[in-house]
Amino acid sequence: MPHVFVNYRTGDGEQAATTIARDLTHRFGPGPVFRASESIRPGQLYPEELLAGVRRSDALLALIGPHWLDAPDSTRPGRRALDNTEDWVRKEILEAFSRGLPVIPVLLGRRTERLTAAALPRPLVRLAYTQSLRYDHQQASTDLARIAEVLTDLVPGLAEPESPEQPGDPAPGAVTNTMDGDGDSRIQARDVSGGLTSTVIHDSHGPVNTGSGPQHVHQPHIDGDGATYIGGDNKGSVKHRFGER
Protein backbone atom coordinates (compact mmCIF):
# COMPACT_ATOMS: atom_id res chain seq x y z
CA MET A 1 0.00 0.00 0.00
CA PRO A 2 1.41 3.45 -0.87
CA HIS A 3 2.05 5.80 2.02
CA VAL A 4 2.33 9.55 2.55
CA PHE A 5 4.29 10.87 5.54
CA VAL A 6 3.07 14.15 7.06
CA ASN A 7 6.06 16.03 8.55
CA TYR A 8 5.28 19.02 10.80
CA ARG A 9 6.60 20.94 13.78
CA THR A 10 4.59 21.02 16.98
CA GLY A 11 3.55 24.59 17.67
CA ASP A 12 3.82 25.59 14.03
CA GLY A 13 1.72 23.21 11.97
CA GLU A 14 -0.07 20.53 13.98
CA GLN A 15 -3.56 21.87 13.24
CA ALA A 16 -2.88 21.95 9.51
CA ALA A 17 -1.30 18.49 9.78
CA THR A 18 -4.49 17.14 11.34
CA THR A 19 -6.69 18.70 8.63
CA ILE A 20 -4.51 17.57 5.74
CA ALA A 21 -4.06 14.03 7.09
CA ARG A 22 -7.79 13.60 7.67
CA ASP A 23 -8.62 14.92 4.22
CA LEU A 24 -6.16 12.52 2.59
CA THR A 25 -7.55 9.65 4.66
CA HIS A 26 -11.05 10.57 3.55
CA ARG A 27 -9.94 10.61 -0.09
CA PHE A 28 -7.65 7.59 -0.17
CA GLY A 29 -9.02 5.47 2.66
CA PRO A 30 -7.51 4.46 6.03
CA GLY A 31 -3.90 3.33 6.07
CA PRO A 32 -1.85 5.32 3.57
CA VAL A 33 -1.28 8.46 5.68
CA PHE A 34 1.34 8.56 8.47
CA ARG A 35 0.96 11.30 11.08
CA ALA A 36 2.92 10.73 14.26
CA SER A 37 0.24 11.56 16.82
CA GLU A 38 -2.21 9.10 15.25
CA SER A 39 0.02 6.51 13.59
CA ILE A 40 2.26 5.66 16.55
CA ARG A 41 0.40 3.49 19.04
CA PRO A 42 0.85 3.71 22.81
CA GLY A 43 3.78 1.59 23.93
CA GLN A 44 5.71 1.91 20.68
CA LEU A 45 9.09 3.66 20.58
CA TYR A 46 8.57 6.86 18.64
CA PRO A 47 12.19 7.25 17.39
CA GLU A 48 11.99 3.87 15.69
CA GLU A 49 8.46 4.35 14.42
CA LEU A 50 9.11 7.82 12.97
CA LEU A 51 12.02 6.68 10.83
CA ALA A 52 10.24 3.45 9.93
CA GLY A 53 7.25 5.52 8.85
CA VAL A 54 9.43 7.57 6.50
CA ARG A 55 11.13 4.46 5.10
CA ARG A 56 7.89 2.79 4.10
CA SER A 57 6.46 5.98 2.61
CA ASP A 58 6.37 7.04 -1.03
CA ALA A 59 6.26 10.81 -0.46
CA LEU A 60 6.70 13.29 2.39
CA LEU A 61 4.73 16.48 2.94
CA ALA A 62 6.87 19.01 4.83
CA LEU A 63 4.42 21.45 6.44
CA ILE A 64 6.09 24.83 6.84
CA GLY A 65 4.35 27.45 8.94
CA PRO A 66 5.36 31.03 9.74
CA HIS A 67 7.59 29.95 12.66
CA TRP A 68 9.02 26.78 11.11
CA LEU A 69 12.35 28.29 10.09
CA ASP A 70 13.16 30.10 13.34
CA ALA A 71 11.55 27.78 15.90
CA PRO A 72 13.83 27.73 18.97
CA ASP A 73 15.72 24.65 20.09
CA SER A 74 14.28 23.64 23.46
CA THR A 75 17.51 21.87 24.42
CA ARG A 76 19.85 24.70 23.44
CA PRO A 77 18.51 28.18 24.26
CA GLY A 78 19.33 30.82 21.71
CA ARG A 79 19.69 28.41 18.79
CA ARG A 80 17.29 27.21 16.11
CA ALA A 81 15.76 23.76 16.24
CA LEU A 82 16.67 23.18 12.59
CA ASP A 83 20.37 23.55 13.42
CA ASN A 84 20.18 20.65 15.87
CA THR A 85 21.02 17.36 14.17
CA GLU A 86 18.63 15.62 16.58
CA ASP A 87 15.66 17.78 15.59
CA TRP A 88 12.98 15.35 14.39
CA VAL A 89 11.57 17.61 11.69
CA ARG A 90 15.05 17.81 10.21
CA LYS A 91 15.78 14.09 10.67
CA GLU A 92 12.55 13.01 8.95
CA ILE A 93 13.19 15.24 5.92
CA LEU A 94 16.80 14.09 5.61
CA GLU A 95 15.69 10.47 5.86
CA ALA A 96 13.27 11.09 2.99
CA PHE A 97 16.06 12.71 0.96
CA SER A 98 18.35 9.74 1.59
CA ARG A 99 15.61 7.38 0.36
CA GLY A 100 15.02 9.39 -2.80
CA LEU A 101 11.43 10.18 -1.82
CA PRO A 102 9.60 13.21 -3.21
CA VAL A 103 9.60 15.88 -0.48
CA ILE A 104 6.90 18.49 -1.04
CA PRO A 105 7.07 21.72 0.99
CA VAL A 106 3.57 22.88 1.92
CA LEU A 107 3.52 26.56 2.93
CA LEU A 108 0.88 27.21 5.58
CA GLY A 109 -1.19 30.37 5.35
CA ARG A 110 -0.93 33.27 2.96
CA ARG A 111 2.02 34.99 4.59
CA THR A 112 4.48 32.11 4.79
CA GLU A 113 7.11 32.77 2.15
CA ARG A 114 9.15 30.30 0.16
CA LEU A 115 12.34 29.08 1.77
CA THR A 116 15.69 30.50 0.69
CA ALA A 117 18.93 28.56 0.56
CA ALA A 118 20.73 31.13 2.72
CA ALA A 119 18.25 30.64 5.57
CA LEU A 120 18.49 26.85 5.69
CA PRO A 121 21.05 24.53 7.26
CA ARG A 122 23.27 23.12 4.50
CA PRO A 123 21.74 19.59 4.56
CA LEU A 124 18.27 21.09 3.98
CA VAL A 125 19.18 23.55 1.20
CA ARG A 126 17.46 21.31 -1.32
CA LEU A 127 14.10 22.44 0.10
CA ALA A 128 14.72 25.95 -1.22
CA TYR A 129 14.74 24.65 -4.80
CA THR A 130 11.80 22.28 -4.49
CA GLN A 131 8.47 23.36 -5.95
CA SER A 132 6.07 23.97 -3.09
CA LEU A 133 2.33 23.91 -2.52
CA ARG A 134 0.28 26.12 -0.26
CA TYR A 135 -2.43 25.36 2.27
CA ASP A 136 -4.56 28.24 3.51
CA HIS A 137 -7.54 27.43 5.71
CA GLN A 138 -9.51 30.23 4.01
CA GLN A 139 -9.43 28.30 0.75
CA ALA A 140 -9.08 24.86 2.26
CA SER A 141 -11.23 23.00 -0.25
CA THR A 142 -9.18 24.17 -3.24
CA ASP A 143 -5.80 23.71 -1.56
CA LEU A 144 -6.62 20.24 -0.18
CA ALA A 145 -7.79 19.11 -3.60
CA ARG A 146 -4.53 20.37 -5.13
CA ILE A 147 -2.42 18.51 -2.56
CA ALA A 148 -4.32 15.30 -3.24
CA GLU A 149 -3.97 15.79 -7.00
CA VAL A 150 -0.19 16.23 -6.78
CA LEU A 151 0.19 13.16 -4.56
CA THR A 152 -1.89 11.09 -6.95
CA ASP A 153 0.46 12.05 -9.79
CA LEU A 154 3.63 11.43 -7.77
CA VAL A 155 2.76 8.21 -5.95
CA PRO A 156 1.98 5.16 -8.09
CA GLY A 157 -1.05 3.30 -6.82
CA LEU A 158 -2.43 6.18 -4.78
CA ALA A 159 -5.84 7.10 -6.12
CA GLU A 160 -9.22 8.19 -4.90
CA PRO A 161 -11.91 5.49 -4.93
CA GLU A 162 -13.90 5.45 -8.14
CA SER A 163 -17.50 6.58 -8.08
CA PRO A 164 -20.00 3.73 -8.18
CA GLU A 165 -20.71 2.70 -11.76
CA GLN A 166 -24.04 3.52 -13.25
CA PRO A 167 -26.21 0.43 -13.60
CA GLY A 168 -26.19 -1.19 -17.02
CA ASP A 169 -28.51 -3.99 -18.02
CA PRO A 170 -30.86 -4.95 -15.23
CA ALA A 171 -29.78 -7.86 -13.09
CA PRO A 172 -32.06 -10.87 -12.82
CA GLY A 173 -35.15 -9.86 -10.92
CA ALA A 174 -34.52 -6.14 -11.47
CA VAL A 175 -36.91 -3.66 -12.99
CA THR A 176 -36.37 -0.26 -14.61
CA ASN A 177 -39.22 2.01 -15.57
CA THR A 178 -39.19 5.35 -17.36
CA MET A 179 -42.25 7.51 -17.89
CA ASP A 180 -42.26 11.06 -19.14
CA GLY A 181 -44.41 13.45 -21.07
CA ASP A 182 -47.92 14.71 -20.41
CA GLY A 183 -50.91 12.79 -19.21
CA ASP A 184 -53.66 12.84 -16.67
CA SER A 185 -53.20 9.34 -15.20
CA ARG A 186 -50.21 7.03 -15.02
CA ILE A 187 -49.66 3.67 -13.39
CA GLN A 188 -46.45 1.63 -13.29
CA ALA A 189 -46.34 -1.76 -11.72
CA ARG A 190 -44.13 -4.82 -11.27
CA ASP A 191 -45.34 -8.36 -10.44
CA VAL A 192 -48.95 -7.24 -10.40
CA SER A 193 -51.87 -9.59 -9.99
CA GLY A 194 -55.45 -8.95 -9.20
CA GLY A 195 -57.52 -5.90 -9.90
CA LEU A 196 -56.70 -2.24 -9.56
CA THR A 197 -59.65 -0.25 -8.27
CA SER A 198 -59.64 2.76 -5.87
CA THR A 199 -56.65 5.20 -5.65
CA VAL A 200 -56.73 8.33 -7.77
CA ILE A 201 -53.92 10.93 -7.58
CA HIS A 202 -54.00 14.23 -9.41
CA ASP A 203 -51.47 17.07 -9.59
CA SER A 204 -48.70 15.37 -7.61
CA HIS A 205 -45.42 17.30 -7.79
CA GLY A 206 -43.15 14.77 -6.07
CA PRO A 207 -42.63 11.03 -5.64
CA VAL A 208 -45.66 9.04 -4.57
CA ASN A 209 -45.27 5.56 -3.11
CA THR A 210 -48.47 3.80 -2.13
CA GLY A 211 -46.61 0.95 -0.41
CA SER A 212 -47.39 -2.76 -0.51
CA GLY A 213 -50.73 -4.46 -0.48
CA PRO A 214 -53.80 -4.13 -2.68
CA GLN A 215 -53.88 -0.97 -4.76
CA HIS A 216 -57.13 0.27 -6.27
CA VAL A 217 -57.72 2.60 -9.20
CA HIS A 218 -60.89 3.10 -11.23
CA GLN A 219 -59.23 1.75 -14.37
CA PRO A 220 -59.24 -1.50 -16.37
CA HIS A 221 -57.97 -4.76 -14.86
CA ILE A 222 -54.13 -5.10 -15.06
CA ASP A 223 -52.35 -8.42 -14.61
CA GLY A 224 -48.81 -9.77 -15.12
CA ASP A 225 -45.12 -9.24 -14.36
CA GLY A 226 -45.15 -5.62 -15.38
CA ALA A 227 -47.84 -3.30 -16.59
CA THR A 228 -48.43 0.32 -17.41
CA TYR A 229 -51.66 2.18 -17.81
CA ILE A 230 -51.77 5.78 -18.98
CA GLY A 231 -55.01 7.62 -19.12
CA GLY A 232 -55.61 11.02 -20.55
CA ASP A 233 -53.81 12.62 -23.44
CA ASN A 234 -50.23 11.41 -23.00
CA LYS A 235 -47.72 13.06 -25.36
CA GLY A 236 -44.49 11.57 -24.02
CA SER A 237 -42.92 8.16 -23.88
CA VAL A 238 -43.07 5.05 -21.73
CA LYS A 239 -40.13 2.64 -21.37
CA HIS A 240 -39.71 -0.67 -19.53
CA ARG A 241 -36.68 -2.87 -18.84
CA PHE A 242 -37.36 -6.03 -16.89
CA GLY A 243 -34.97 -8.74 -15.75
CA GLU A 244 -36.17 -12.20 -14.92
CA ARG A 245 -39.13 -12.54 -12.63
Side-chain angles (χ1 to χ4, degrees), residues 218-239:
H218 296 296
Q219 304 293 357
H221 179 87
I222 299 176
D223 207 305
D225 285 347
T228 296
Y229 174 85
I230 298 178
D233 185 17
N234 178 61
K235 300 176 183 177
S237 61
V238 179
K239 302 174 184 178

mmCIF file of all heavy atoms in Angstrom, residues 218-239:
data_model
loop_
_atom_site.group_PDB
_atom_site.id
_atom_site.type_symbol
_atom_site.label_atom_id
_atom_site.label_comp_id
_atom_site.label_asym_id
_atom_site.label_seq_id
_atom_site.Cartn_x
_atom_site.Cartn_y
_atom_site.Cartn_z
ATOM 1 N N HIS A 218 -59.733 3.314 -10.365
ATOM 2 C CA HIS A 218 -60.886 3.100 -11.234
ATOM 3 C C HIS A 218 -60.422 3.033 -12.671
ATOM 4 O O HIS A 218 -60.590 3.964 -13.446
ATOM 5 C CB HIS A 218 -61.914 4.232 -11.025
ATOM 6 C CG HIS A 218 -62.489 4.230 -9.641
ATOM 7 N ND1 HIS A 218 -63.247 3.203 -9.153
ATOM 8 C CD2 HIS A 218 -62.393 5.153 -8.648
ATOM 9 C CE1 HIS A 218 -63.620 3.491 -7.905
ATOM 10 N NE2 HIS A 218 -63.103 4.660 -7.586
ATOM 11 N N GLN A 219 -59.756 1.947 -13.023
ATOM 12 C CA GLN A 219 -59.229 1.753 -14.369
ATOM 13 C C GLN A 219 -59.385 0.280 -14.734
ATOM 14 O O GLN A 219 -59.748 -0.547 -13.900
ATOM 15 C CB GLN A 219 -57.749 2.156 -14.441
ATOM 16 C CG GLN A 219 -57.454 3.590 -14.002
ATOM 17 C CD GLN A 219 -58.028 4.618 -14.941
ATOM 18 O OE1 GLN A 219 -58.617 4.263 -15.963
ATOM 19 N NE2 GLN A 219 -57.917 5.882 -14.591
ATOM 20 N N PRO A 220 -59.089 -0.095 -15.973
ATOM 21 C CA PRO A 220 -59.244 -1.495 -16.375
ATOM 22 C C PRO A 220 -58.375 -2.426 -15.566
ATOM 23 O O PRO A 220 -57.370 -2.024 -14.983
ATOM 24 C CB PRO A 220 -58.811 -1.479 -17.850
ATOM 25 C CG PRO A 220 -58.986 -0.068 -18.282
ATOM 26 C CD PRO A 220 -58.712 0.767 -17.088
ATOM 27 N N HIS A 221 -58.729 -3.715 -15.555
ATOM 28 C CA HIS A 221 -57.970 -4.762 -14.862
ATOM 29 C C HIS A 221 -56.575 -4.902 -15.474
ATOM 30 O O HIS A 221 -56.416 -4.898 -16.682
ATOM 31 C CB HIS A 221 -58.734 -6.088 -14.989
ATOM 32 C CG HIS A 221 -58.029 -7.221 -14.323
ATOM 33 N ND1 HIS A 221 -58.215 -7.502 -12.988
ATOM 34 C CD2 HIS A 221 -57.160 -8.143 -14.809
ATOM 35 C CE1 HIS A 221 -57.477 -8.567 -12.683
ATOM 36 N NE2 HIS A 221 -56.832 -8.970 -13.774
ATOM 37 N N ILE A 222 -55.515 -4.957 -14.605
ATOM 38 C CA ILE A 222 -54.127 -5.105 -15.060
ATOM 39 C C ILE A 222 -53.551 -6.333 -14.399
ATOM 40 O O ILE A 222 -53.687 -6.533 -13.199
ATOM 41 C CB ILE A 222 -53.284 -3.870 -14.699
ATOM 42 C CG1 ILE A 222 -53.874 -2.639 -15.385
ATOM 43 C CG2 ILE A 222 -51.825 -4.051 -15.094
ATOM 44 C CD1 ILE A 222 -53.162 -1.353 -15.022
ATOM 45 N N ASP A 223 -52.863 -7.169 -15.156
ATOM 46 C CA ASP A 223 -52.352 -8.418 -14.613
ATOM 47 C C ASP A 223 -51.010 -8.732 -15.261
ATOM 48 O O ASP A 223 -50.789 -8.397 -16.426
ATOM 49 C CB ASP A 223 -53.351 -9.536 -14.936
ATOM 50 C CG ASP A 223 -53.289 -10.661 -13.911
ATOM 51 O OD1 ASP A 223 -52.180 -11.183 -13.717
ATOM 52 O OD2 ASP A 223 -54.331 -10.980 -13.324
ATOM 53 N N GLY A 224 -50.055 -9.310 -14.496
ATOM 54 C CA GLY A 224 -48.814 -9.765 -15.118
ATOM 55 C C GLY A 224 -47.577 -9.255 -14.407
ATOM 56 O O GLY A 224 -47.662 -8.583 -13.387
ATOM 57 N N ASP A 225 -46.391 -9.611 -14.970
ATOM 58 C CA ASP A 225 -45.117 -9.243 -14.355
ATOM 59 C C ASP A 225 -44.896 -7.738 -14.338
ATOM 60 O O ASP A 225 -44.260 -7.210 -13.455
ATOM 61 C CB ASP A 225 -43.952 -9.899 -15.106
ATOM 62 C CG ASP A 225 -43.863 -11.376 -14.770
ATOM 63 O OD1 ASP A 225 -44.517 -11.783 -13.806
ATOM 64 O OD2 ASP A 225 -43.152 -12.092 -15.479
ATOM 65 N N GLY A 226 -45.338 -7.061 -15.354
ATOM 66 C CA GLY A 226 -45.150 -5.619 -15.384
ATOM 67 C C GLY A 226 -46.223 -5.002 -16.256
ATOM 68 O O GLY A 226 -46.583 -5.526 -17.298
ATOM 69 N N ALA A 227 -46.760 -3.880 -15.815
ATOM 70 C CA ALA A 227 -47.844 -3.305 -16.588
ATOM 71 C C ALA A 227 -47.861 -1.803 -16.416
ATOM 72 O O ALA A 227 -47.457 -1.280 -15.394
ATOM 73 C CB ALA A 227 -49.180 -3.896 -16.131
ATOM 74 N N THR A 228 -48.328 -1.138 -17.451
ATOM 75 C CA THR A 228 -48.434 0.319 -17.406
ATOM 76 C C THR A 228 -49.777 0.728 -17.974
ATOM 77 O O THR A 228 -50.190 0.232 -19.020
ATOM 78 C CB THR A 228 -47.317 0.981 -18.230
ATOM 79 O OG1 THR A 228 -46.056 0.660 -17.640
ATOM 80 C CG2 THR A 228 -47.470 2.497 -18.238
ATOM 81 N N TYR A 229 -50.427 1.614 -17.281
ATOM 82 C CA TYR A 229 -51.655 2.181 -17.810
ATOM 83 C C TYR A 229 -51.498 3.687 -17.813
ATOM 84 O O TYR A 229 -51.074 4.275 -16.823
ATOM 85 C CB TYR A 229 -52.865 1.789 -16.949
ATOM 86 C CG TYR A 229 -54.125 2.494 -17.395
ATOM 87 C CD1 TYR A 229 -54.910 1.970 -18.424
ATOM 88 C CD2 TYR A 229 -54.496 3.705 -16.813
ATOM 89 C CE1 TYR A 229 -56.044 2.646 -18.851
ATOM 90 C CE2 TYR A 229 -55.622 4.379 -17.236
ATOM 91 C CZ TYR A 229 -56.399 3.847 -18.266
ATOM 92 O OH TYR A 229 -57.512 4.505 -18.679
ATOM 93 N N ILE A 230 -51.794 4.323 -18.886
ATOM 94 C CA ILE A 230 -51.767 5.776 -18.975
ATOM 95 C C ILE A 230 -53.100 6.248 -19.489
ATOM 96 O O ILE A 230 -53.526 5.866 -20.580
ATOM 97 C CB ILE A 230 -50.650 6.268 -19.920
ATOM 98 C CG1 ILE A 230 -49.281 5.833 -19.386
ATOM 99 C CG2 ILE A 230 -50.699 7.783 -20.059
ATOM 100 C CD1 ILE A 230 -48.147 6.226 -20.269
ATOM 101 N N GLY A 231 -53.769 7.047 -18.676
ATOM 102 C CA GLY A 231 -55.014 7.617 -19.115
ATOM 103 C C GLY A 231 -54.823 9.070 -19.497
ATOM 104 O O GLY A 231 -53.825 9.677 -19.172
ATOM 105 N N GLY A 232 -55.749 9.628 -20.156
ATOM 106 C CA GLY A 232 -55.615 11.022 -20.552
ATOM 107 C C GLY A 232 -54.871 11.147 -21.869
ATOM 108 O O GLY A 232 -54.660 10.179 -22.593
ATOM 109 N N ASP A 233 -54.431 12.347 -22.157
ATOM 110 C CA ASP A 233 -53.813 12.625 -23.444
ATOM 111 C C ASP A 233 -52.299 12.651 -23.276
ATOM 112 O O ASP A 233 -51.680 13.704 -23.209
ATOM 113 C CB ASP A 233 -54.324 13.981 -23.951
ATOM 114 C CG ASP A 233 -53.806 14.265 -25.361
ATOM 115 O OD1 ASP A 233 -53.350 13.306 -26.013
ATOM 116 O OD2 ASP A 233 -53.869 15.427 -25.780
ATOM 117 N N ASN A 234 -51.687 11.477 -23.173
ATOM 118 C CA ASN A 234 -50.231 11.414 -23.000
ATOM 119 C C ASN A 234 -49.516 11.777 -24.294
ATOM 120 O O ASN A 234 -49.851 11.319 -25.371
ATOM 121 C CB ASN A 234 -49.821 10.004 -22.563
ATOM 122 C CG ASN A 234 -48.319 9.903 -22.436
ATOM 123 O OD1 ASN A 234 -47.715 10.611 -21.641
ATOM 124 N ND2 ASN A 234 -47.724 9.025 -23.226
ATOM 125 N N LYS A 235 -48.474 12.626 -24.184
ATOM 126 C CA LYS A 235 -47.723 13.061 -25.356
ATOM 127 C C LYS A 235 -46.242 12.686 -25.242
ATOM 128 O O LYS A 235 -45.434 13.121 -26.043
ATOM 129 C CB LYS A 235 -47.848 14.573 -25.514
ATOM 130 C CG LYS A 235 -49.283 15.025 -25.693
ATOM 131 C CD LYS A 235 -49.354 16.539 -25.738
ATOM 132 C CE LYS A 235 -50.815 16.987 -25.854
ATOM 133 N NZ LYS A 235 -50.936 18.471 -25.836
ATOM 134 N N GLY A 236 -45.897 11.908 -24.229
ATOM 135 C CA GLY A 236 -44.494 11.565 -24.024
ATOM 136 C C GLY A 236 -44.211 10.121 -24.367
ATOM 137 O O GLY A 236 -44.781 9.558 -25.277
ATOM 138 N N SER A 237 -43.336 9.521 -23.584
ATOM 139 C CA SER A 237 -42.924 8.157 -23.880
ATOM 140 C C SER A 237 -43.004 7.305 -22.626
ATOM 141 O O SER A 237 -43.003 7.805 -21.515
ATOM 142 C CB SER A 237 -41.489 8.136 -24.419
ATOM 143 O OG SER A 237 -40.613 8.662 -23.444
ATOM 144 N N VAL A 238 -43.043 6.012 -22.822
ATOM 145 C CA VAL A 238 -43.072 5.051 -21.734
ATOM 146 C C VAL A 238 -42.045 3.968 -22.072
ATOM 147 O O VAL A 238 -42.031 3.455 -23.190
ATOM 148 C CB VAL A 238 -44.468 4.413 -21.595
ATOM 149 C CG1 VAL A 238 -44.443 3.395 -20.474
ATOM 150 C CG2 VAL A 238 -45.503 5.487 -21.324
ATOM 151 N N LYS A 239 -41.159 3.639 -21.126
ATOM 152 C CA LYS A 239 -40.133 2.639 -21.366
ATOM 153 C C LYS A 239 -40.076 1.654 -20.221
ATOM 154 O O LYS A 239 -40.212 2.033 -19.065
ATOM 155 C CB LYS A 239 -38.758 3.308 -21.524
ATOM 156 C CG LYS A 239 -38.669 4.331 -22.637
ATOM 157 C CD LYS A 239 -37.332 5.029 -22.628
ATOM 158 C CE LYS A 239 -37.286 6.110 -23.690
ATOM 159 N NZ LYS A 239 -35.997 6.840 -23.677
#
